[in-house]
Structures are given as C-alpha cells and as structure tokens.
Amino acid sequence: MIPVPKHTRSAVDARISDALKAVSARDEVTDIYFTACGGSFAHMLLNQYIVEREATVIVGHALNAAEFKARAPKRLGKNSVVIACSHSGTTPETVEAVQIARAAGALTISLTEDLGSPLDEASEFTVPYVHSAETMSPIHSAAVQVRLVFGILEAREGNAKGADLDQALGQVGDLVERIKQDHKERIARFAEAHKRAPLIYTMASGASYGVAYAFAICILQEMQWVDSAAIHAGEYFHGPFEITDFDVPFVQLIGSGPAREMDERALAFAQKYSNRMTVLDADELGVAALPGSVAEYITPLVFAPVLRTYAEKLGAARGHPMTVRRYMWQMEY
Amino acid sequence: MIPVPKHTRSAVDARISDALKAVSARDEVTDIYFTACGGSFAHMLLNQYIVEREATVIVGHALNAAEFKARAPKRLGKNSVVIACSHSGTTPETVEAVQIARAAGALTISLTEDLGSPLDEASEFTVPYVHSAETMSPIHSAAVQVRLVFGILEAREGNAKGADLDQALGQVGDLVERIKQDHKERIARFAEAHKRAPLIYTMASGASYGVAYAFAICILQEMQWVDSAAIHAGEYFHGPFEITDFDVPFVQLIGSGPAREMDERALAFAQKYSNRMTVLDADELGVAALPGSVAEYITPLVFAPVLRTYAEKLGAARGHPMTVRRYMWQMEY
C-alpha cells in the first residue's frame, strides 16, 4: 500500500516560495546556519557543502542543534538565515536553536513533516515535506533543503543553477527506482553476507559524506545495534586505514564531482585488503544522466534511498526490524 | 631521557610574530581555512570552534586537505588566510592544499616540526613546533595554532584575550603533569580493563570534540587496531546511544564552557547503561585554575596529552606498541 502523502507538491512549493521571498526582502544575508540533530543533521552537511562550493558572499555553517546553542556563533544575527529540520518537529534541541536564532534576529526557516508541531510554532517560516525513506522526490526533505539553498543563492547572489536543479530533481525518483531494481540481487547478497557482522564501517567524502554518516549513526547504530563509524575518505589514510583487514566490512560511496578522486583512492586501497567491500558508485548508478552542473549535489539524494533499501534487507536477514529501539520511545532522556 | 627540543621558544615566537605581521598587513581578512589530515586535522576543529565563538568579521573553516582541494571553496582568495599543519611536512594532500591556496592569493601559514620540508617550501610562512605527545607547552603544535588564531583575531578584530591565553599556556604544562601523577592508578585500571576490548567509543563535544576524534582515529584505530568512532555528545541521543549497553566501553571528555551541559547530559545516560565509562572531566582536572575567558579553549590541550598517557599504558597492556603499523611506513599508497 502506498500511503497518501501528507503534503502536496503545490503546498510545499508555495511554502518554499514564501520563505524565499522573505530571504529576498532582507537587507543583507551573510550566513546560513544549518541546524538539526542526527539524521536531519546529516543532510545539513550537504547544504553546507553546496554553499562552500557555490557562494561568494554567503557562508554556510552546519551544526548539531545542541552544539549550535553551546557555540552561540558570534556572527549570528539579523543577517543570518537559519534552516532547521526535525522530522517530528518535537526535537527539543532543534526547537531551542530556532528560538535562539529568532531572538537574535535571524530569519528562521524550518522543515518538518508535522505542521502544528513545536518546531513549526517556533519558526517564522515552515516548509513541510513528505517522508518515505526508500524513495526520493522534489518534496522529500533532502530535496526541499537543496531547493531552499539554491533558491537563497539565486535570490542573493544570482546563482543560475535552479533550472538544472529542477530538472535533476524531476529525474531522481525514477533513477532511484531503476537502481533498486537493478540491485535486487546485490542487496540480497549484502544482507546475507553481513547478517552476522557486529561492525560495519561506512566511508564517503565531499557531498556524500553526510549519507555515510547517517547510515552509520541512524541505520547501523540506531536501528540495527551494529557498531559503526563514518570514515571520511580523505582521512582514511591518516589513521582509520590501519583497521582495514580481510574480514572488516565497509560500505563505501563513490561520488561524482571533484571529491570522486579522493573516494577512488581510498577504495583502491580498501578493496586490496578487505574482502568485504560494498560499493555504491555514482558513475555506475547512472548519475551522469543528471545535469552536470548539479549532479554531484544530487548524488547523495540517490545514495540515501538506495542504501536504505540495503538496510531494510539487512534488518530482515538479521531478524531485527528497523523500528526496534531499546531507549528511544521507551523512556525519557 | 628527555630529548632536546628541536625548536626553541624564541625561534617559534619569532616565526609566529612574522606571520602575524603579514596578517596585519593584508588589506582585508575575511576567512581562515584550517587544513590538514588525520591528527593534525583534528586540532583544526578547535581552531574553527574558536573563530566561530570569538569572531564577527572572520569566518573559520576546518577541512581535511583532500576535501579542501575537492571542495575548492569559492570564497578562497586574497582575503583568506590558510593555516595548514603536517608533522613531517611531507603529507602530499596538505602540501597541495597550500599550493592551491597560495596560487589563489591566500596568505599561507604552515606548521611542521621539520623546517626544510615540502610543506615549509610550499608556504609563505612556516612556524615550527616541538612534539612530545604526553606533554603540553606554548610551543607544542596545538598551542601554536591557538596562539595564531587569537593573534589574528587581535590583529584584525581587536580581540583582547591574548594575555589570558599566554597565562593559560604558561600553566598548562604543569597542570598536565600533575593530572598524570594523580591519575596513575586510574590509568593502570583503564589499561587492564580494556586490554581485550575490540572496540572503544569516544565521546565529546564543543572545543574538545577534536581530541575525541583524534583518539578514535589516530590512537585506537591507527596505533592500536581497536575499532572506534568519535561520537558527538549532542548527536548521541539521535542514533548512537542505541548501541550503548553494559559491556560497551566509552572514553568520554566532559569539557568546560557552554558545551559542558551537552556532555553531562550524554554522560548521565551513558553511565546508567554502560559499566565501562572512562571519564575525563575538565572540572575535576582543575581546568578552573586557568583564566576563565580562555579555559574552554585550553581544556582540549589538557585532555590530549593526558589521554595519550592512558593510550600508552593501554598499548603496553595489549602488547601492541604505539609505533606498530601494517600499512603506514610499509608501502606506497
């Protein structure tokens, strides 16, 4: 059964448009703070990456919401935009970060699935999204965030990649479905090969690092109680590679764009010494079909739902449903 | 035997002074990029943290050197200062990052123990430092970096914490020695209790997160072949905490400053469900003796050498010297 999406394309688009109008109306915008926790924070790393690659005036900062509060960035103020995200809209740290930001005069834009939630209440603008972890569309959270980022860069700096972005986001859903079909056997092999693994490392860099981070902390540690760490491919040779051995499993993402060279170097080494590499390669997945100007930024939006399909099968093979928790939902903390 | 330091205080101070004069002479400074790999990169996270907490004009960016190259930050140019570090001065990615930065017109300042190394050759300014992992002084790498950061903030923004910083760095060496004496028994217990542990997580946040990261990737993964991941205390409740159980070991740093609240919340939970918490608490270590305006920034400089002493004892108990490598120094990669 395909659930009816909670939010429609036109409703989401209208909210994005309202938020961007407010961004345009600001006298000055010098900083975007991206703040959230856990899986929602992981997406923010991509947003920060895009700003650093694309913007000359605006600076991007991605911070866990509790870290944002502690750090109390000195630049935060009326020239700042703060983009926050919480799926339920109830994450206390994220709500508090938005309250702090708004009190400091920042323009606050939040994403949540739940309009009416505390995060929605706290924020000047809220954009809802639809959630379905094994698919992707222009109104999924990660896509909405990238649209907001490019929308801000267009409004404030004349960035002209919006049309390419729209085209890419129009293609991405079908691309994901096609890959999941093509990978059916590989996914089954992955699940069988790793159903007794107590630890699985993930590795990536550049635009896709956040997906590897989310897979490590939200899928493996949280939903599967499998030990993990996200290794940055550029850091691999400066410490982590020493734990590589024939029986150490890695899930590695090989991105598109300029970070690919770094991914390939780490992969060449890792697959020489580990017999347990699972690789998702953007080139092999057909990401080249997306407009070249934005392909590297959309690659993580392809990796995420495909990896989730790998994870679901792993959970089934392990007899450990993705919804099991021992602490979350069980107690106050 | 105490080795004779390769570089003297006066030589290091003169180099810092030369670099800061060049920073002052620039028409404009808008960004500092902190770039390095592995253990040297870990220190850069503290520098970036300080800039975000203290600066209103200047923005700090900490990037692994290969990521820096791939990302090719659009703001990089003549208004940028790039601070790089490589202990040997031979790390190819770091040398290349400096070359890219210099070609873009940035002011390049590098740290290395080895004057005459490729990194020294590539950089406009080089500051040497002394290295001794179980001690701390004003001419250790981490201290030199913090001095450069506050020096730049003084020169460009009138930051007035330099005197407090000097005082703190004058105290920190003795403080570290005293803690190591006080912790002798705890260190021995830690080594015995963990000598069979195949995995040890580390946890921290704020100014001290980089120390936990370095301990995970350089000490445990690299030097001990023990699986590890650095968990951000603010992220702990949003995924990683689900792997907590009675027999899962954590080394946690409880910092000073505003991040402490986040550390304490994670600790309260972790020690309720794990019987294997090893905690270094800034308050208990006597960090309050340092000038309050800079104590949170100097806390990681206390944690790092003390933790290294824990690590050395662990290596001895495991019969795995800290100098053993299977890939590094053994082959090209």
Side-chain angles (χ1 to χ4, degrees), chain A residues 211-212 215 219 251 253 280 302-312:
Chain A
V211 176
F215 198 73
I219 303 291
V251 172
L253 307 177
L280 290 187
V302 176
F303 283 147
V306 173
L307 266 185
R308 180 57 180 247
T309 307
Y310 276 73
E312 294 284 344

Side-chain angles (χ1 to χ4, degrees), chain A residues 35-45 85-87 129 141 145 218:
Chain A
T35 191
C37 296
S40 295
F41 170 66
H43 284 308
M44 299 298 182
L45 297 173
C85 180
S86 162
H87 183 59
Y129 59 80
S141 173
Q145 290 174 41
C218 297

Side-chain angles (χ1 to χ4, degrees), chain B residues 30-109:
Chain B
T30 56
D31 298 76
I32 311 176
Y33 292 91
F34 301 103
T35 190
C37 296
S40 295
F41 171 66
H43 284 309
M44 300 299 182
L45 299 172
L46 169 60
N47 299 328
Q48 197 267 336
Y49 179 88
I50 293 171
V51 173
E52 192 143 65
R53 294 268 293 142
E54 296 279 340
T56 47
V57 174
I58 294 174
V59 180
H61 317 253
L63 291 168
N64 163 277
E67 177 82 22
F68 176 86
K69 179 189 172 186
R71 203 170 283 209
K74 208 165 180 183
R75 289 170 62 88
L76 179 70
K78 63 181 174 42
N79 298 338
S80 307
V81 174
V82 172
I83 296 182
C85 180
S86 161
H87 184 60
S88 66
T90 60
T91 310
E93 301 97 305
T94 308
V95 174
E96 195 180 357
V98 167
Q99 288 163 341
I100 291 166
R102 204 166 168 181
L107 177 66
T108 52
I109 306 171

Side-chain angles (χ1 to χ4, degrees), chain B residues 8-332:
Chain B
T8 64
R9 171 82 199 239
S10 59
V12 173
D13 288 4
R15 296 282 194 135
I16 292 176
S17 174
D18 287 348
L20 290 177
K21 271 179 211 147
V23 171
S24 294
R26 286 261 155 164
D27 288 340
E28 212 179 336
V29 174
T30 56
D31 298 76
I32 311 176
Y33 292 91
F34 301 103
T35 190
C37 296
S40 295
F41 171 66
H43 284 309
M44 300 299 182
L45 299 172
L46 169 60
N47 299 328
Q48 197 267 336
Y49 179 88
I50 293 171
V51 173
E52 192 143 65
R53 294 268 293 142
E54 296 279 340
T56 47
V57 174
I58 294 174
V59 180
H61 317 253
L63 291 168
N64 163 277
E67 177 82 22
F68 176 86
K69 179 189 172 186
R71 203 170 283 209
K74 208 165 180 183
R75 289 170 62 88
L76 179 70
K78 63 181 174 42
N79 298 338
S80 307
V81 174
V82 172
I83 296 182
C85 180
S86 161
H87 184 60
S88 66
T90 60
T91 310
E93 301 97 305
T94 308
V95 174
E96 195 180 357
V98 167
Q99 288 163 341
I100 291 166
R102 204 166 168 181
L107 177 66
T108 52
I109 306 171
S110 290
L111 287 88
T112 175
E113 200 199 27
D114 189 15
L115 294 177
S117 63
L119 184 62
D120 179 24
E121 296 295 321
S123 306
E124 196 171 350
F125 293 89
T126 304
V127 184
Y129 58 80
V130 300
H131 179 67
S132 149
E134 293 179 70
T135 65
M136 187 49 66
S137 82
I139 57 171
H140 276 55
S141 174
V144 169
Q145 290 174 41
V146 173
R147 291 169 67 193
L148 279 169
V149 169
F150 274 101
I152 294 171
L153 297 186
E154 182 181 349
R156 307 299 314 194
E157 303 196 13
N159 186 293
K161 294 191 175 178
D164 284 354
L165 179 68
D166 287 345
Q167 188 190 322
L169 291 176
Q171 292 170 258
V172 73
D174 288 346
L175 180 58
V176 166
E177 293 313 308
R178 202 259 297 146
I179 296 165
K180 280 157 52 182
Q181 283 302 318
D182 289 354
H183 280 228
K184 263 205 154 80
E185 265 182 51
R186 280 198 238 183
I187 290 169
R189 278 202 307 275
F190 168 79
E192 275 302 300
H194 294 86
K195 70 184 183 185
R196 303 267 184 266
L199 175 145
I200 302 171
Y201 282 113
T202 67
M203 184 151 60
S205 75
S208 298
Y209 178 76
V211 175
Y213 175 71
F215 198 72
I217 74 156
C218 297
I219 303 291
L220 293 172
Q221 290 183 316
E222 180 174 51
M223 299 187 190
Q224 290 295 304
W225 306 352
V226 167
D227 288 306
S228 187
I231 296 170
H232 186 282
E235 290 281 278
Y236 178 60
F237 293 103
H238 304 281
F241 80 147
E242 285 284 338
I243 47 80
T244 310
D245 212 334
F246 70 95
D247 59 348
V248 178
F250 290 81
V251 171
Q252 190 180 357
L253 307 178
I254 308 297
S256 51
R260 186 176 173 87
E261 178 187 337
M262 173 168 38
D263 295 329
E264 286 179 333
R265 181 179 171 223
L267 174 62
F269 188 94
Q271 66 189 5
K272 196 163 159 187
Y273 295 99
S274 166
N275 300 325
R276 304 186 73 187
M277 298 298 296
T278 302
V279 178
L280 290 186
D281 181 325
D283 280 3
E284 194 214 320
L285 300 186
V287 166
L290 304 174
S293 71
V294 296
E296 69 163 315
Y297 309 132
I298 303 306
T299 297
L301 278 61
V302 175
F303 283 146
V306 172
L307 265 185
R308 179 59 177 246
T309 306
Y310 276 74
E312 293 284 342
K313 195 79 176 176
L314 178 66
R318 299 182 73 241
H320 186 113
M322 308 293 279
T323 50
V324 172
R325 300 289 187 280
R326 47 184 154 192
Y327 307 123
M328 188 183 179
W329 307 323
Q330 312 294 332
M331 59 187 69
E332 294 289 316

